[in-house]
Amino acid sequence: MKYPEYKQPLDYAKVGEDVLAWWQENHIFEKSVSSREGQPTFVFYEGPPSANGAPGIHHVMARAVKDIFCRYQTMLGKQVPRKGGWDTHGLPIELQVEKELGITKEDIGHKISIEDYNQRCRETVMRFKAQWDDLTQKMGYWVDLDNPYVTFEPEYIESCWALLKKLYDKGFLYKGYTIQPYSPAAGTGLSSHELNQPGTYRDVKDTTVVAQFKVKPGEVAEKLFAAAGGPNADVFILAWTTTPWTLPANTGLAVGKNIPYQLISTFNPYTFEPIHVVLARALVGRYFSEKGAAAPMEGYAEGDHKLLPWRLEGEFTGADLVGITYERLFDLTPFEGEERAFRVIPADFVTTEDGTGIVHISPTFGADDFRAAQLADIPALMVPDAEGTLGPIVDRTGRYVPQMGEFAGRFVKNYDGQDETAAGYRSLDVDLSIRLKEMSRAFKVEKYEHTYPHCWRTDKPVLYYPLDSWFIKTTAVKDRLIELNKTINWKPESTGTGRFGNWLENLVDWNLSRSRYWGTPLPIWRTQDRTEEICIGSIAELKAEIDKAVVAEVMTHNPYANGEKIDLHRPYVDDIFLVSPSGQPMYREPDLIDVWFDSGAVPYAQWHYPIENADVFAKNFPADFIAEGVDQTRGWFFTLHALAVMLEDSVAFKNVIANGLVLAKDGQKMSKRLGNAVDPFATIKQFGPDATRWYLIANAPPWDNLKFDPAGVVEVQRRFFGTLFNTYSFYALYANLDGFEIDENNRVAHADLSELDRWILSKLQSLIAEVRLQLDSYDPTKAARAIQDFVTDHLSNWYVRLSRRRFWKGELTTDKRGAYETLHECLSTVSQLMAPIAPFFAEWLYRNLSGGQGPESVHLTLLAEADATRLDGALEERMELAQRISSLAHSLRKKSVLKVRQPLQRILVPVLNDTTKAQVGLVEDLICAEINVKHIEFLDDESGVLVKSVKPNFKRLGQQYGPRLKAVGARIQAMTAAEISKLEKEGSLAVEVNGEPITLAPDDVEIRTDDLPGWLVATDGPLTVALDVTLTDALRQEGLARELVNRLQNLRKDSGLEVQDRIRVTLADQEPALAAAVAAFGDYIRTETQALALDFAPEVSGGSVLEFDDFAVPVRLEIATN
RNA sequence: GGGCUUGUAGCUCAGGUGGUUAGAGCGCUACACUGAUAAUGUAGAGGUCCCUGGUUCGAGUCCAGGCAGGCCCA
């Protein structure tokens, strides 16, 4: 058998393609699951992507993370079923369809039927499925694409219904109304998820008003009027709003109970009427200047109005103000509960950060307002519409209702697309402000820039608006959610404790309702009077109920009776009417449910559980591992957790990686708009899937944001994969020349391997342990970096470099076999360790090395285990010494301008103890070979030439002497040679510091020898090396011999000779030095260059010329035929 | 505004429980080596460890307050 050899450079993209094709032909993924049948399961859930957009590079990152741990666990012997899936419902799809059809939500049911609309959604949602599947395969993400769950399929929806019914039966489903973000432009409520789309919160300039609410005289207000000078005074409470259009819906004013407020006498700055106003003490300075306090009150109305005069008249706490009643600002329409309205109430969210420290309350248009009003029994201002149904003063299109007098029909924000820059344009807010000024009820009107949420697709401002909703009572299990969350291993931990933990601490009920068309319908039917209702938990149940309805003649026939494929979507379910126990017809609640319920239901619905497959579910719940973007924390991670706790009283996942964002290389967010998005297909095509994955994983931990720089992928490819490929090529080249093959049953015994072999094998054991540890703890980055360091630094740069001669010299000896076996084992094991991260290249490497032995794929193998018996700490330690000494010697050669090819007699290494001496002694050969010296000479105390210096051990001394450390340190650095020697010999030294006697121990200092008088030395920490640069004739000749070898090797290579070709060399006989070198080192030269003959001739023509430092020599080189 | 997170060389990143001289790779400069060669070695240049205060004999590391970026939530 031959090890395949490849041309440099390797085409990594092609490796990916070839391996992919081979996997598919040989069903390796299927085998990786089926071959683990009967083994413990490692449960993984695929967070369903939505296929209505093209995948990006961040998906490669997210999916690489998922893939790594599934492959790793498979290699640990576990069975890892991986069901793919698709998220198919939701607003993005609806909006895309609407955009394509050029319609809005309002057109549905008119211009297009719900049936056709949903059909369009169904077609649209999988539009990019082929691209996704393609990327999934090309990047090597192993997941079952053939049997995915799809959230729009009837079985999936049926499972959701079954789960909803379970929640219903537990009393976790209820209907209420809350103030919710609502987009009049889109005609729909917005989930918090939608509201948190990027770009939703924007800085806008709005007209803001500080309105004056006129206090009515009364018992509570008595103190105010007293301070204002009498019951006839005009006393106003100031309240600020950034949404003036809500002022007509005002029904209360909120104060902070403990906030101090002041009564100020002053003037209305627009009408100059004398008034008294109340606002928080902390904010008086915002509206009134110091100068104004001193300005004359008289004459303001007539005079110039630049300086508003004012006087402080009294101070009160918020508690003093609670209960005060005031006049309604816009008295446009009567409403229910009016007599309880227009009061000052307390609220804990009131601050003195901005405004006036008093908050205008409109319970229909603010969530905080709604809650505070409920607590204080303040009514909401609701008016009847044409059908008599009560609603707020703004209709669902964002327009004032007819009761709003002169403002009736106005849009509260620019929802009708008016040109705001046009000369005549005036917003409702502006017109209201003008009106208030005219009424002398505006204290200050100004533009104010603040952030305000916008509908993420229509770009129009969101309103907070009262909407009916079904809720899941997640707050009922809040404590259990928190408790079980603590058992989940979050990567990074802070996402679990911080972001997710805090979210659970501040949990509100899960708003399930969506007023849409394409999604899972809420399976609840109600009678018109809302007294009877039913929650349907399965198709069978629905059919049975329809049959009852047919009998009761509520329906004419059962549309699902004849066994055709059932579609549970709208509009079909809307046409189903059921009958209540009392015989009344029941209508389906028109809502759809939050798509996040769909995804949270994955653990159950992917198996059509609980309708069937209870055993499959039991085996696959909860998940051992999931991974998604950190933005899913309150999305998928939450819905999974919430449903698992409520339904199963369990976590849904035990380990979770919340990965960060992939940014463009400048740290900007990638976006098509900015043109800095990285195309995953192009990246894989250019660099291959492995380098892409490796870069994504090794460069930054998945939970940190990654700045994607293609230059980084290039570097990974060159440095890591290039080095690994070279190392393999090196092995293949020589193993093939020697006809070497691995024979597992006949290996060189470990004890018989060379020092270097045992060293790299020891390093390999450490690497195996490290990689396993890091992958066990879900840290792929550390694993990748460890592998990378091993391959480049240890295996290639030290082991192979120092072993080269062993591979290409001589016969297949035991030592050479040991080297082959060692290198083979290192490469094979690396192929396993890297397989989860770089699955294609690992496969390529494994299959090149295995020669058909063992499992056909690296992904079917069991990962090597660290063999403690081959770990040798002492060996690793002394090899490090060898590396450092070599490095020092190289640096000395450099300083003395002595090339490595010139042999030198010796290096001198001072050693202060026998251990170091013994350690270095064991690696002397390696050092000598590496730096081309004849031997190492150790200098110990006996030699008498060592000059010692001493360095304080601050860590130890600091603990002992604390504040005196500086003085002690200085004293130590001043130690004489005699003192050092005394400390060494006697084990202690008494000295004085600042007149106080102290005793030093040997551990208090570090003794080193970083100087050898008369020698050029180099030091690295405690290590010191000196180089003997004396050149003898013999050394010079040997140096020249090596130069000659080098020139001949270059010539061989330039002449295109194969490594194994034998040659005949003829040199021109013109340099005595060269002749002498050849005479002395002929055998060496012939061996090295594989020359059968090395002769001199008076004349050499027709050949090349070898250039040496001081001369040039003509040479002829021929291939030897025998 | 709140929560979480990041900030170390031109770039990408390491830097248990505080220890005085802060590292690596890439990039740059110079020299060397080389039958692994688009590799490698040695040396050099390059740092207010985001800022300010505090604790300490000693802070990149601990504490507090800021600043800047990111994500999430209002």
Side-chain angles (χ1 to χ4, degrees):
Chain A
M1 161 235 161
K2 285 256 181 194
Y3 294 101
E5 293 180 44
Y6 298 84
K7 268 199 309 229
Q8 187 118 16
L10 189 62
D11 183 345
Y12 297 96
K14 184 156 189 309
V15 167
E17 287 160 17
D18 292 349
V19 169
L20 178 59
W22 182 81
W23 281 348
Q24 287 173 338
E25 263 166 49
N26 294 278
H27 307 285
I28 301 301
F29 171 47
E30 291 79 355
K31 286 177 189 166
S32 82
V33 179
S34 62
S35 68
R36 263 56 171 173
E37 193 62 52
Q39 298 301 313
T41 308
F42 180 79
V43 180
F44 165 76
Y45 297 153
E46 164 77 331
S50 180
N52 69 321
I57 191 76
H58 55 290
H59 293 112
V60 177
M61 156 79 162
R63 309 186 121 214
V65 170
K66 298 176 186 184
D67 191 52
I68 285 166
F69 294 98
C70 291
R71 287 184 189 264
Y72 172 63
Q73 292 291 336
T74 299
M75 293 180 78
L76 294 183
K78 294 200 183 141
Q79 188 177 39
V80 191
R82 281 158 262 182
K83 198 174 178 65
W86 298 104
D87 194 14
T88 59
H89 287 145
L91 189 64
I93 295 136
E94 293 197 355
L95 290 170
Q96 191 173 330
V97 165
E98 285 156 29
K99 198 171 151 194
E100 285 170 17
L101 295 176
I103 61 169
T104 68
K105 282 265 178 294
E106 284 181 18
D107 298 325
I108 301 166
H110 309 294
K111 287 189 186 167
I112 182 171
S113 68
I114 296 174
E115 189 172 3
D116 291 345
Y117 176 83
N118 273 357
Q119 185 52 36
R120 234 352 236 252
C121 287
R122 185 189 295 264
E123 288 160 9
T124 304
V125 70
M126 289 306 211
R127 183 174 295 167
F128 289 88
K129 180 177 181 293
Q131 250 193 64
W132 276 85
D133 285 352
D134 191 31
L135 183 69
T136 301
Q137 291 179 343
K138 281 184 175 149
M139 68 160 288
Y141 175 40
W142 270 359
V143 64
D144 184 355
L145 296 173
D146 298 328
N147 306 291
Y149 59 89
V150 180
T151 59
F152 69 53
E153 285 178 349
E155 290 79 12
Y156 199 96
I157 294 175
E158 188 183 19
S159 282
C160 287
W161 280 16
L163 299 177
L164 283 166
K165 171 132 189 171
K166 278 191 176 188
L167 295 173
Y168 182 87
D169 290 343
K170 288 175 186 236
F172 287 143
L173 275 189
Y174 71 93
K175 188 170 190 179
Y177 100 81
T178 56
I179 305 303
Q180 293 164 42
Y182 173 77
S183 169
T188 176
L190 296 175
S191 67
S192 51
H193 309 106
E194 285 161 335
L195 211 52
N196 286 305
Q197 295 295 318
T200 302
Y201 283 83
R202 285 189 217 154
D203 286 336
V204 290
K205 262 195 176 167
D206 275 328
T207 300
T208 69
V209 178
V210 175
Q212 298 178 191
F213 293 87
K214 186 163 195 221
V215 177
K216 285 184 180 171
E219 204 179 321
V220 198
E222 226 167 82
K223 275 195 279 183
L224 271 185
F225 282 98
N232 296 322
D234 276 340
V235 179
F236 295 93
I237 293 173
L238 299 184
W240 180 62
T241 179
T242 56
T243 51
W245 60 268
T246 62
L247 285 170
N250 170 280
T251 53
L253 290 170
V255 295
K257 274 188 169 174
N258 300 317
I259 296 174
Y261 294 89
Q262 292 187 332
L263 179 76
I264 308 281
S265 58
T266 184
F267 297 88
N268 181 293
Y270 302 107
T271 61
F272 321 125
E273 287 175 9
I275 53 172
H276 296 80
V277 298
V278 176
L279 73 165
R281 183 174 71 193
L283 291 158
V284 169
R286 295 261 182 105
Y287 300 92
F288 302 102
S289 66
E290 296 257 351
K291 278 186 185 170
M297 297 290 281
E298 300 76 26
Y300 175 74
E302 297 82 36
D304 87 77
H305 305 119
K306 279 182 187 151
L307 182 63
L308 185 64
W310 61 281
R311 298 290 184 273
L312 173 61
E313 304 290 356
E315 183 162 315
F316 311 87
T317 65
D320 292 332
L321 304 178
V322 169
I324 285 176
T325 56
Y326 60 92
E327 287 179 10
R328 187 173 173 184
L329 205 55
F330 288 99
D331 198 357
L332 294 168
T333 172
F335 64 98
E336 172 99 22
E338 205 171 332
E339 65 288 349
R340 287 176 286 123
F342 313 120
R343 282 182 291 129
V344 176
I345 60 169
D348 53 12
F349 57 80
V350 179
T351 69
T352 55
E353 293 287 310
D354 47 26
T356 63
I358 297 152
V359 175
H360 138 66
I361 297 289
S362 51
T364 46
F365 301 118
D368 283 341
D369 308 41
F370 176 75
R371 273 193 297 273
Q374 269 198 329
L375 284 173
D377 193 30
I378 293 277
L381 202 165
M382 304 281 263
V383 292
D385 65 9
E387 277 96 45
T389 313
L390 288 178
I393 60 167
V394 176
D395 72 15
R396 289 204 158 216
T397 63
R399 207 187 293 225
Y400 266 171
V401 295
Q403 287 94 328
M404 296 309 289
E406 60 183 298
F407 303 109
R410 295 284 301 271
F411 283 97
V412 300
K413 293 279 171 189
N414 185 6
Y415 292 123
D416 48 348
Q418 292 197 45
D419 178 7
E420 295 184 19
T421 60
Y425 177 78
R426 281 218 303 261
S427 70
L428 175 59
D429 287 339
V430 170
D431 282 338
L432 283 163
S433 303
I434 292 169
R435 191 80 192 89
L436 285 170
K437 284 181 184 174
E438 289 165 2
M439 292 155 60
S440 196
R441 287 293 183 271
F443 188 74
K444 190 166 192 176
V445 176
E446 63 182 352
K447 290 274 189 180
Y448 175 82
E449 189 167 338
H450 64 141
T451 57
Y452 194 83
H454 290 68
C455 173
W456 65 289
R457 283 309 294 257
T458 64
D459 284 349
K460 296 281 168 55
V462 159
L463 300 185
Y464 289 88
Y465 196 85
L467 295 174
D468 280 344
S469 257
W470 283 87
F471 291 89
I472 296 182
K473 203 183 278 176
T474 42
T475 50
V477 291
K478 178 175 159 182
D479 292 345
R480 192 69 180 138
L481 286 166
I482 291 167
E483 198 180 329
L484 285 171
N485 179 44
K486 290 180 180 152
T487 69
I488 297 172
N489 175 32
W490 282 85
K491 296 295 272 188
E493 192 192 343
S494 58
T495 298
T497 54
R499 190 176 288 193
F500 195 67
N502 292 343
W503 162 251
L504 294 179
E505 294 288 346
N506 300 307
L507 198 65
V508 294
D509 285 343
W510 180 0
N511 183 358
L512 200 57
S513 295
R514 295 294 180 273
S515 312
R516 305 220 184 100
Y517 300 93
W518 178 239
T520 301
L522 190 67
I524 294 176
W525 275 257
R526 272 187 162 191
T527 56
Q528 204 146 30
D529 63 6
R530 301 175 181 186
T531 55
E532 294 172 277
E533 67 185 27
I534 185 170
C535 181
I536 299 292
S538 70
I539 291 170
E541 188 182 350
L542 181 64
K543 281 182 181 170
E545 289 298 325
I546 294 173
D547 285 340
K548 280 195 216 164
V550 171
V551 171
E553 294 184 347
V554 168
M555 283 189 76
T556 56
H557 69 289
N558 186 339
Y560 297 152
N562 53 8
E564 60 188 271
K565 183 92 169 171
I566 289 179
D567 188 343
L568 297 177
H569 283 101
R570 297 182 71 182
Y572 313 108
V573 282
D574 298 332
D575 296 335
I576 290 169
F577 309 104
L578 304 180
V579 64
S580 76
S582 72
Q584 297 185 64
M586 297 197 287
Y587 308 91
R588 196 186 70 82
E589 289 285 291
D591 296 351
L592 301 184
I593 62 168
D594 184 5
V595 284
W596 290 100
F597 189 97
D598 287 1
S599 48
V602 162
Y604 325 90
Q606 67 175 336
W607 306 114
H608 198 206
Y609 176 82
I611 309 295
E612 58 175 334
N613 289 328
D615 51 334
V616 182
F617 170 74
K619 267 179 65 185
N620 289 284
F621 183 89
D624 288 296
F625 168 65
I626 60 170
E628 298 293 332
V630 67
D631 54 333
Q632 296 287 335
T633 304
R634 295 171 187 194
W636 195 49
F637 295 154
F638 172 67
T639 57
L640 275 179
H641 188 57
L643 289 181
V645 170
M646 285 191 288
L647 294 166
E648 303 289 332
D649 190 37
S650 161
V651 296
F653 47 90
K654 297 176 186 166
N655 300 283
V656 53
I657 291 181
N659 49 257
L661 266 60
V662 179
L663 305 169
K665 73 173 184 181
D666 56 359
Q668 295 284 310
K669 223 172 164 158
M670 280 189 197
S671 74
K672 284 191 190 127
R673 190 171 53 79
L674 292 172
N676 61 356
V678 173
D679 177 4
F681 292 98
T683 306
I684 289 174
K685 184 113 187 105
Q686 189 179 354
F687 305 112
D690 298 298
T692 305
R693 287 171 60 133
W694 197 273
Y695 169 74
L696 288 168
I697 295 303
N699 201 54
W703 41 88
D704 280 353
N705 289 347
L706 173 86
K707 292 179 199 156
F708 190 95
D709 185 352
V713 189
V714 173
E715 191 188 326
V716 160
Q717 193 181 55
R718 200 170 45 92
R719 186 164 172 74
F720 175 61
F721 288 98
T723 305
L724 189 51
F725 167 65
N726 279 339
T727 307
Y728 166 76
S729 299
F730 177 83
Y731 173 82
L733 175 66
Y734 292 109
N736 286 341
L737 284 177
D738 281 324
F740 174 81
E741 278 183 45
I742 290 291
D743 179 358
E744 286 300 336
N745 300 316
N746 182 23
R747 292 186 53 151
V748 177
H750 189 68
D752 295 335
L753 292 173
S754 77
E755 184 94 345
L756 205 51
D757 294 334
R758 283 184 286 114
W759 169 75
I760 193 68
L761 288 172
S762 177
K763 280 282 188 195
L764 184 66
Q765 306 315 309
S766 305
L767 177 69
I768 294 169
E770 172 74 5
V771 169
R772 281 173 165 260
L773 175 74
Q774 297 304 345
L775 291 182
D776 284 341
S777 50
Y778 295 91
D779 192 334
T781 304
K782 285 197 173 140
R785 287 176 179 174
I787 295 167
Q788 200 167 287
D789 288 349
F790 174 84
V791 168
T792 56
D793 295 351
H794 303 312
L795 185 62
S796 171
N797 246 346
W798 192 252
Y799 177 76
V800 173
R801 194 154 57 84
L802 267 59
S803 303
R804 271 179 303 193
R805 301 178 62 81
R806 297 170 64 202
F807 288 94
W808 50 266
K809 269 198 76 174
E811 301 301 308
L812 188 54
T813 59
T814 303
D815 177 64
K816 198 171 184 180
R817 280 186 38 218
Y820 280 132
E821 286 169 7
T822 300
L823 184 51
H824 186 276
E825 178 172 351
C826 287
L827 288 169
S828 300
T829 306
V830 165
S831 80
Q832 283 194 311
L833 293 172
M834 73 189 294
I837 306 174
F840 299 95
F841 188 88
E843 188 80 296
W844 175 90
L845 182 58
Y846 170 84
R847 287 176 51 75
N848 281 341
L849 288 166
S850 69
Q853 304 286 307
E856 60 186 317
S857 162
V858 70
H859 303 286
L860 300 177
T861 62
L862 288 174
L863 189 63
E865 289 184 56
D867 178 359
T869 65
R870 294 201 285 172
L871 260 178
D872 188 340
L875 174 56
E876 293 193 22
E877 219 169 89
R878 63 180 178 261
M879 193 62 74
E880 200 191 324
L881 275 176
Q883 290 171 335
R884 287 165 66 186
I885 290 172
S886 300
S887 170
L888 290 171
H890 277 303
S891 116
L892 288 170
R893 275 184 176 274
K894 152 83 182 154
K895 278 183 192 140
S896 314
V897 200
L898 281 165
K899 41 180 73 169
V900 179
R901 237 180 263 129
Q902 175 59 58
L904 292 171
Q905 198 53 45
R906 55 176 182 161
I907 58 168
L908 309 177
V909 179
V911 287
L912 294 172
N913 57 63
D914 291 342
T915 325
T916 314
K917 188 172 175 179
Q919 279 183 314
V920 177
L922 283 167
V923 288
E924 180 173 351
D925 291 349
L926 286 173
I927 298 171
C928 290
E930 168 67 9
I931 61 177
N932 198 13
V933 298
K934 297 299 178 195
H935 72 274
I936 298 176
E937 197 166 314
F938 296 103
L939 300 174
D940 53 21
D941 268 350
E942 313 284 305
S943 69
V945 301
L946 294 188
V947 177
K948 295 179 184 174
S949 66
V950 72
K951 194 186 158 207
N953 179 347
F954 285 103
K955 186 161 185 169
R956 231 183 103 85
L957 293 166
Q959 283 156 7
Q960 200 174 345
Y961 298 107
R964 290 187 290 165
L965 179 87
K966 269 192 178 130
V968 176
R971 178 66 187 82
I972 287 171
Q973 259 147 357
M975 274 166 76
T976 63
E979 284 174 326
I980 296 172
S981 143
K982 189 174 179 202
L983 177 59
E984 278 189 299
K985 286 209 181 78
E986 298 179 8
S988 75
L989 179 72
V991 295
E992 268 196 9
V993 173
N994 294 338
E996 285 179 59
I998 61 166
T999 308
L1000 295 175
D1003 285 351
D1004 290 339
V1005 298
E1006 191 186 332
I1007 298 169
R1008 46 174 62 182
T1009 57
D1010 40 20
D1011 190 27
L1012 287 176
W1015 292 90
L1016 183 61
V1017 300
T1019 61
D1020 173 14
L1023 267 181
T1024 301
V1025 171
L1027 188 65
D1028 185 348
V1029 297
T1030 317
L1031 283 179
T1032 62
D1033 282 348
L1035 288 173
R1036 282 208 179 85
Q1037 284 175 0
E1038 188 179 346
L1040 192 51
R1042 291 184 67 136
E1043 293 285 341
L1044 178 59
V1045 168
N1046 166 250
R1047 302 301 188 272
L1048 290 172
Q1049 299 286 38
N1050 287 345
L1051 189 57
R1052 281 185 61 121
K1053 199 175 168 189
D1054 294 343
S1055 311
L1057 270 63
E1058 297 294 322
V1059 174
Q1060 66 276 21
D1061 288 337
R1062 298 301 176 95
I1063 55 171
R1064 292 177 183 280
V1065 178
T1066 313
L1067 292 162
D1069 187 12
Q1070 48 186 223
E1071 286 295 332
L1074 190 61
V1078 170
F1081 293 96
D1083 287 345
Y1084 161 77
I1085 298 166
R1086 278 187 289 273
T1087 311
E1088 291 293 312
T1089 59
Q1090 311 216 60
L1092 294 179
L1094 175 60
D1095 302 312
F1096 284 96
E1099 285 285 320
V1100 174
S1101 58
S1104 322
V1105 175
L1106 297 184
E1107 305 269 349
F1108 292 84
D1109 287 344
D1110 304 324
F1111 52 84
V1113 178
V1115 65
R1116 191 169 62 241
L1117 186 147
E1118 304 152 295
I1119 295 186
T1121 43
N1122 55 342

